[in-house]
Amino acid sequence: MSKRQRKHEMQSTLWYMPAIYISASIAFVALTLILDLVLELDQLAPAAFQVNGDITRMLVSTLIGGILTLSAFTLNSLLVVLTTFSGQFSPRLLLNFVSDKQTQHCLGIFNGSFVYVLVIFLFTGNSSANEEFAAVPIITVLLAFISAVTFIYFINHATTWMQVHNITYSMKRSSEQIINKSLRKDLEAYRTEEPGDLMEKEQENASDMCAHRSGYLQLVDYHSMIHEAKKDDIIIQLNSQVGDYILRGNSMMSYWGPGADQINENKYLNMIELGHKETELQDINMGMHKLAEIAIKSIGNNDPKTATNTIHQMAELMLTVEHDITFTPYLKDDEDQVRVILLSESFDYYIYRGFGYIRHYAKDNHLIITELVAALGLVAESIDSSKHDMLWEFACNTLDHIEERVIYKLDKTFLLNAVKKLAKTTDHLLDYYEIERRFYPQEK
């Protein structure tokens, strides 16, 4: 596992942030004990803050059970709700909630506070009744207060997070961050629309690099691959893309060029990370699929409002895709020589990934289809006209599978209004009239 992948996995588990808080709490215990036992803070503190050993032990022992009960009750109730919620919408929601930073900070506060009072109890359990403490009771009570406030904040955070419009928005934001932080850094800096010299003569004798094990293609180190391909004077063509499943022995890459006979294939194979699951580090399709899955579950649960909200978030994500991704497969080095060739992708590929699954499961749900066509019209108004034909073709293909005879009159009216708006934006008004005649055939 690469360093980048390992960091992502650590931050997506419940161990990462609580471990930091627990470590900080142990250091805080040492500081507290130094203040009370070494520096004797109780002699400098006002009398109201001086507490004898018996009361300190009773206070700490009581708060141990209180904080632990508070943590257990919160997590138990939350897991029940999330399990039900995951079954209703998507099993991936639980992982998203666990990896949320606010969730991890709250759990870290609960665990850190519990460990603090537990370790403090071990060091103050044998103190005499005449021994005075100041820092221990003050900080212990303060942590109990923080835990109580965190409990309220955590419940509010969970209920807010689990509102469907917030879930779809956070998923859309996550996909946008993949594009802005990952794909732009990893790919866009090296993309070129001009292929230049592709060494066609050597391509006839291209060699294949095969996978040593099976798994999902999770991560590709494009920067190192381009740098090493330049040193070896070769061109590499990837035969799969991030998110694809590869079996052991399948061809992952082909390469050719003047230096093709002397390269170390393992060097390039180690630049590709394979794993047993799909990840979102470089795979925007995974984020789109999670959004589409919520819409699909909503359609199955007769919840058209949630499906509509998901379609709107998907439409906004399409704008980011169109604006920030250059649809060219060529990656060049610093001398403008193409070194890596990706699988070709176009904007209609992302249209299908985003709306295709929703369209399939909506079937004859004319309300959802109308919202989908309306969303395509909104996208068409905001993107370059070169992508208009793709949007129109997708909409026409969707309408081809609608049964015109069983659709309600008003459903038909609103659907055709959405199609007409899209037709005007994409300059396909004549094609629209043909669709209209199909829905309103002339009486014989």
Side-chain angles (χ1 to χ4, degrees), residues 9-23 98-99 104 107-108 111:
E9 291 293 332
M10 287 179 58
Q11 293 178 344
S12 298
T13 64
L14 281 177
W15 291 103
Y16 177 70
M17 195 62 68
I20 295 177
Y21 275 90
I22 289 173
S23 301
V98 166
S99 60
Q104 294 201 356
L107 295 179
N111 286 275

Side-chain angles (χ1 to χ4, degrees), residues 126-391:
N126 295 324
S127 59
S128 62
N130 297 326
E131 192 169 357
E132 298 288 335
F133 294 92
V136 169
I138 291 174
I139 295 178
T140 303
V141 170
L142 182 61
L143 284 179
F145 176 77
I146 292 174
S147 297
V149 173
T150 303
F151 170 75
I152 300 172
Y153 174 81
F154 190 48
I155 296 299
N156 179 71
H157 162 64
T159 53
T160 302
W161 189 91
M162 286 187 290
Q163 295 175 21
V164 177
H165 60 273
N166 289 330
I167 292 175
T168 55
Y169 178 76
S170 65
M171 285 186 173
K172 186 261 300 181
R173 288 278 298 170
S174 176
S175 296
E176 288 179 338
Q177 289 173 0
I178 293 172
I179 296 174
N180 294 329
K181 294 182 179 180
S182 180
L183 295 183
R184 179 176 290 181
K185 178 181 178 181
D186 294 341
L187 288 174
E188 294 304 313
Y190 307 104
R191 287 194 191 265
T192 178
E193 296 183 2
E194 298 296 331
D197 182 16
L198 296 181
M199 307 178 187
E200 287 86 353
K201 293 182 179 180
E202 288 86 353
Q203 188 174 0
E204 297 176 358
N205 299 317
S207 302
D208 291 329
M209 298 185 201
C210 298
H212 295 327
R213 62 189 181 95
S214 303
Y216 288 98
L217 204 164
Q218 297 177 333
L219 200 66
V220 180
D221 188 352
Y222 295 107
H223 175 75
S224 298
M225 188 174 290
I226 293 171
H227 179 71
E228 293 299 323
K230 178 185 176 182
K231 288 172 55 179
D232 293 334
D233 196 15
I234 61 171
I235 293 178
I236 298 174
Q237 181 171 1
L238 297 179
N239 299 325
S240 302
Q241 60 186 3
V242 175
D244 288 348
Y245 189 78
I246 300 173
L247 291 175
R248 184 180 67 254
N250 288 166
S251 174
M252 294 180 62
M253 296 178 284
S254 301
Y255 63 94
W256 62 88
D261 296 333
Q262 302 176 357
I263 73 164
N264 179 10
E265 292 188 359
N266 289 329
K267 175 177 64 174
Y268 291 96
L269 290 173
N270 290 334
M271 298 175 188
I272 295 180
E273 187 74 29
L274 294 177
H276 67 282
K277 64 178 181 179
E278 296 178 81
T279 62
E280 293 184 82
L281 282 174
Q282 290 180 333
D283 188 10
I284 185 177
N285 295 328
M286 182 65 177
M288 287 185 169
H289 182 75
K290 289 198 299 186
L291 264 178
E293 194 172 58
I294 293 179
I296 293 167
K297 287 279 190 177
S298 302
I299 294 171
N301 294 328
N302 299 318
D303 184 6
K305 189 62 180 177
T306 298
T308 300
N309 179 266
T310 306
I311 290 172
H312 295 161
Q313 297 297 332
M314 190 75 76
E316 187 174 350
L317 183 58
M318 288 296 164
L319 298 185
T320 306
V321 170
E322 192 273 338
H323 182 267
D324 292 339
I325 295 180
T326 305
F327 298 101
T328 175
Y330 304 112
L331 305 183
K332 62 180 181 178
D333 58 21
D334 53 6
E335 296 180 355
D336 294 332
Q337 168 64 48
V338 171
R339 292 300 178 185
V340 176
I341 303 176
L342 310 176
L343 289 180
S344 296
E345 293 180 358
S346 60
F347 185 64
D348 56 358
Y349 169 82
Y350 289 100
I351 296 174
Y352 172 75
R353 284 294 182 180
F355 294 112
Y357 292 108
I358 301 175
R359 175 182 67 179
H360 175 78
Y361 286 92
K363 296 182 180 178
D364 290 329
N365 191 325
H366 306 115
L367 299 177
I368 301 300
I369 296 297
T370 300
E371 290 294 339
L372 196 152
V373 174
L376 294 176
L378 295 175
V379 173
E381 291 182 16
S382 301
I383 67 174
D384 188 80
S385 59
S386 62
K387 312 292 192 310
H388 284 178
D389 287 345
M390 301 176 188
L391 294 171

Side-chain angles (χ1 to χ4, degrees), residues 40-52:
E40 297 182 344
L41 184 63
D42 60 290
Q43 296 182 5
L44 303 176
F49 295 103
Q50 297 177 8
V51 183
N52 63 41

